[in-house]
Amino acid sequence: MKIAIASDHAGYDYRQMLAEHLRAQGHEVIDCGCPGKESCDYPIFGRKAAQLVKSGECERGVLVCGTGFGISLSANRIPGIRCVNCTDVLTAKMSRLHNDANMIAVGARVVGEDTAKLLVDTFLTTPHEGGRHARRVALIDSLPLV
Ligand code: RB5
C-alpha cells in the first residue's frame, strides 16, 4: 500500500519509527515532513499528507503530532479526508469498519511506541464494512461546507 506520512516536531521520532515499521512490512511510504525536530507548524505537514490521500496518490495517511489533535484537525479541513485520532485499538478498528477512515493520527506524547505501531497496523488491515455505513460516510461528504 502507498502511505503518506507526516508529523510536526513533536511527532518527528515516531514518524521515523512508524515509517521504518511500515517499510519493513513492504508498504511504500511517502514522507511529507517535517524536516527536523525544530519547532514547526503541524497544519503545513498534515495538509501535505492529506492532499496526497485526497488526490489518490496515496491510499492512506498516517499523521503524528504531540497529541494527534492538531494535525488531524488540519487534515480534516480537506473534503474527502476522514482522519481519526486514535489512542486504542477498538477505535482504530471501528474507524475503518464504520467510518472508512483514510487517515489516522497518533499522539507521540500520548501513546507508547508499540501502541502507535499497533494502532497503525489495525487501521491499515481492517476493511470497511460498507452497507449502511457507506451510506453514512457518503452523507458526510454531501454536507455543505458553510
Ligand atoms: C506542539 O507542541 C503540540 O502542540 C502539537 O504537537 C500538537 O500536540 C497539537 O495538537
Side-chain angles (χ1 to χ4, degrees):
M1 194 182 289
K2 196 166 173 181
I3 299 165
I5 193 166
S7 77
D8 70 354
H9 55 288
Y12 182 86
D13 286 337
Y14 269 46
R15 188 181 94 233
Q16 310 303 324
M17 177 271 293
L18 289 170
E20 192 179 320
H21 176 67
L22 293 171
R23 288 189 178 112
Q25 292 178 354
H27 295 293
E28 183 180 354
V29 178
I30 307 297
D31 194 337
C32 300
C34 62
K37 291 189 186 182
E38 305 77 36
S39 182
C40 64
D41 299 328
Y42 51 75
I44 295 167
F45 304 100
R47 181 182 171 81
K48 279 186 188 171
Q51 282 172 327
L52 291 181
V53 175
K54 163 83 177 181
S55 72
E57 187 171 337
C58 290
E59 200 173 328
R60 303 275 180 84
V62 174
L63 302 176
V64 193
C65 68
T67 56
F69 288 154
I71 205 159
S72 58
L73 291 168
S74 308
N76 279 319
R77 291 300 296 270
I78 297 184
I81 294 300
R82 294 177 298 280
C83 183
V84 286
N85 184 16
C86 292
T87 56
D88 63 86
V89 170
L90 176 67
T91 50
K93 187 173 173 179
M94 295 310 293
S95 77
R96 288 289 311 137
L97 288 173
H98 285 196
N99 310 115
D100 198 16
N102 49 18
M103 300 189 79
I104 186 171
V106 295
R109 295 171 179 164
V110 179
V111 298
E113 290 194 5
D114 286 347
T115 299
K117 285 191 239 181
L118 189 56
L119 294 174
V120 169
D121 288 347
T122 302
F123 166 75
L124 292 176
T125 56
T126 305
H128 178 48
E129 253 180 35
R132 67 187 186 282
H133 301 297
R135 185 182 72 240
R136 292 163 186 163
V137 170
L139 270 171
I140 295 174
D141 289 331
S142 76
L143 294 173
L145 296 170
V146 288

